[in-house]
Amino acid sequence: MSKLTNQSLLERRLAVLPKGLGVAYPVFAEKAQNTEIWDVEGNRYIDFVGGISVLNTGHNHPKVTARVREQLDKFTHTAAQIVSYESYVSLAEKLCELAPISGDKKAVFFTTGAEAVENTIKIAKASTGRHGVISFSGGWHGRTHMCMGLTGKVIPYKNNFGPMPSSIYHAMFPAPELGITEEQALESIEMIFQSSIHPSDVAAMIIEPVQGEGGFHQVTPSFAKALRAICDEHGIVLIFDEVQTCFGRTGTLFATEQLGVEPDLMTSAKSLAGGYPLSAVVGRADIMDAPQAGGLGGTYAGNPLGCVAALAVIEVIEEEGLLERSKQIGKTIADFLTNLNSNKIGNIRHKGAMLAFDLVNADGNPDAEATAKLRADAFEKGLLLASCGRHGNAIRVMVPLTVSNEVLQEGLDIIKQVL
Ligand SMILES: Cc1ncc(COP(=O)(O)O)c(C=O)c1O
């Protein structure tokens, strides 16, 4: 067989994969370790994307990999609703212990982030007997139909895919850096109640503690408190979507811990299982118990490989002090970018290592073109970066929290060079 090249694989990809499945880089992975990926031609890349925030514990963490190998030799699938297993129960116990929600809790597992989000809405509907859902502009919750409806960004996620699921209303997400105040955001919820749906028909309100795809804009403790009060007043289930923010990315296991407010339900996924497809919903036991038996689940939901991986990830975060490391990494990158004193860099924002910076033009306006160029130039020098934000002008850093200081610095130096 002829040797694999990136170009030959690109041509094969083009022939058989639909255009809707975009790809950021024209290279194909051969192997990866911690914060580095090597392509099929042996080129090395520093990975500041981390599989889109999935690899807080790095590529192939030895402990996670060892646990998965052990499990591979035992069994890989029974369907948790047919024959369950200890790791599923252990992980549920662990998440109930760790989730920042007081009182009795329950947890259930799925495969993707979107599935977890879908199920929070199902649980909230079953628990309240209501149909309406409020989500937020710029929010991103996944690619299934319900999640697409909840998502607050049309292109490319909703365009051509309508009609959207009904009874979803978008409030404004407060982001002073985008000129949207908390007062305006709260007024927009009031407007929804006045003009679109009575609060007594609203089952759930869902928000990301830090918007991911939307640009790493942060919910403040005061806004979270205001949402909690609205939900309490009207009997609405408050859901925090922690698919991207969970498992140490923001400097705490869950970003919720920094808000001083408890949601009723929360999702987690991505770094939960260190690269294995697993997602979770954790929440108040009385709400979680609302759906009838058989109403929740999925063929692969809570796969045993994912469950043992997640249990290992929890140990690694603790043993390697990754929450503290997350804070250090965020500060190191923010200080580095600030000290560059570049007029191309606009707002820099971070919660722990969940950091984004905007690229702006000479007038201080969003510069999506410069953002795309920075990514392309960084790639040429061996650094993988992702963008995000409503104007496509933010670079988001999702580097593994296990990154060494040397590799982190090497990546930052590339950003400096290409700026
Ligand atoms: C906040 C949030 N919710 C939901 C999802 C959807 O997760 P998945 O792509 O695993 O379905 C994502 C994915 O990026 C996300 O960031």
Side-chain angles (χ1 to χ4, degrees):
M1 220 171 80
S2 64
K3 204 168 168 334
L4 288 181
T5 64
N6 289 315
Q7 185 54 34
S8 66
L9 284 170
L10 259 185
E11 283 160 21
R12 284 167 57 191
R13 183 185 194 281
L14 211 61
V16 291
L17 302 187
K19 290 185 181 136
L21 182 75
V23 65
Y25 292 112
V27 295
F28 292 78
E30 173 67 19
K31 63 173 185 174
Q33 192 59 46
N34 198 4
T35 318
E36 292 156 286
I37 298 181
W38 288 265
D39 71 15
V40 290
E41 296 174 13
N43 302 304
R44 166 189 179 255
Y45 305 93
I46 296 173
D47 186 6
F48 272 22
V49 183
I52 322 182
S53 215
V54 167
L55 298 159
N56 288 354
T57 48
H59 291 277
N60 283 347
H61 191 286
K63 185 163 206 166
V64 179
T65 308
R67 291 286 171 79
V68 171
R69 281 214 181 98
E70 261 171 46
Q71 182 61 43
L72 272 173
D73 285 337
K74 293 180 186 163
F75 62 92
T76 59
H77 178 79
T78 58
Q81 294 129 268
I82 301 299
V83 176
S84 199
Y85 25 92
E86 196 268 341
S87 55
Y88 192 115
V89 180
S90 280
L91 185 60
E93 287 169 347
K94 204 77 198 154
L95 279 187
C96 288
E97 180 193 319
L98 296 169
I101 300 175
S102 44
D104 289 342
K105 280 159 274 180
K106 291 203 170 177
V108 60
F109 300 109
F110 303 97
T111 310
T112 64
E115 253 187 299
V117 170
E118 291 267 346
N119 280 281
T120 58
I121 304 298
K122 282 169 61 177
I123 294 166
K125 286 182 174 179
S127 153
T128 57
R130 305 173 181 182
H131 58 90
V133 186
I134 294 178
S135 61
F136 289 81
S137 58
W140 204 80
H141 300 284
R143 286 187 170 86
T144 56
H145 253 83
M146 185 70 194
C147 293
M148 180 172 67
L150 296 172
T151 287
K153 185 173 179 184
V154 172
I155 294 175
Y157 305 117
K158 300 166 90 155
N159 204 26
N160 297 330
F161 295 135
M164 294 296 129
S166 61
S167 295
I168 296 171
Y169 305 91
H170 288 92
M172 289 163 93
F173 186 96
E177 56 277 16
L178 296 175
I180 305 170
T181 64
E182 287 183 17
E183 291 69 33
Q184 286 170 319
L186 292 173
E187 269 167 33
S188 74
I189 297 175
E190 198 46 50
M191 277 300 289
I192 290 171
F193 291 158
Q194 279 177 28
S195 58
S196 304
I197 186 168
H198 193 271
S200 62
D201 281 330
V202 177
M205 187 182 282
I206 182 164
I207 193 162
E208 297 154 90
V210 181
Q211 286 194 331
E213 165 64 24
F216 283 25
H217 303 292
Q218 302 171 5
V219 169
T220 60
S222 63
F223 191 67
K225 201 167 158 207
L227 296 185
R228 183 68 271 177
I230 294 169
C231 289
D232 286 345
E233 184 185 347
H234 299 293
I236 297 168
V237 175
L238 180 60
I239 303 166
F240 285 170
D241 181 356
E242 289 239 27
V243 164
Q244 189 156 161
T245 47
C246 72
F247 270 63
R249 178 57 31 194
T250 67
T252 43
L253 196 63
F254 298 100
T256 299
E257 292 163 53
Q258 298 172 53
L259 292 178
V261 155
E262 294 183 2
D264 300 304
L265 301 177
M266 56 197 287
T267 61
S268 48
K270 292 198 184 266
S271 280
L272 164 67
Y276 295 86
L278 185 79
S279 61
V281 177
V282 191
R284 278 176 40 195
D286 55 331
I287 297 177
M288 292 289 288
D289 269 333
Q292 66 210 324
L296 302 178
T299 305
Y300 298 105
N303 177 273
L305 301 177
C307 288
V308 296
L311 286 164
V313 164
I314 291 169
E315 287 175 28
V316 170
I317 290 176
E318 165 94 31
E319 287 162 6
E320 299 187 15
L322 294 186
L323 301 181
E324 203 41 49
R325 180 67 178 148
S326 172
K327 291 178 193 142
Q328 275 171 11
I329 290 171
K331 184 168 178 336
T332 302
I333 303 175
D335 288 349
F336 180 86
L337 293 170
T338 307
N339 291 336
L340 288 180
N341 260 326
S342 166
N343 57 6
K344 291 183 187 150
I345 296 182
N347 185 258
I348 303 166
R349 50 194 172 274
H350 75 105
K351 218 182 240 288
M354 189 162 182
L355 179 144
F357 58 99
D358 293 334
L359 288 178
V360 293
N361 61 21
D363 302 324
N365 291 320
D367 196 341
E369 231 171 81
T371 311
K373 180 157 168 35
L374 183 131
R375 284 183 65 205
D377 292 349
F379 169 67
E380 288 303 319
K381 293 190 181 300
L383 174 67
L384 306 182
L385 289 171
S387 58
C388 64
R390 297 182 204 181
H391 307 291
N393 71 314
I395 295 286
R396 57 172 153 167
V397 179
M398 297 168 285
V399 64
L401 305 177
T402 45
V403 65
S404 67
N405 287 338
E406 293 69 33
V407 173
L408 180 63
Q409 193 57 49
E410 202 183 332
L412 293 177
D413 286 339
I414 293 178
I415 294 178
K416 181 177 174 179
Q417 283 168 41
V418 298
L419 260 173

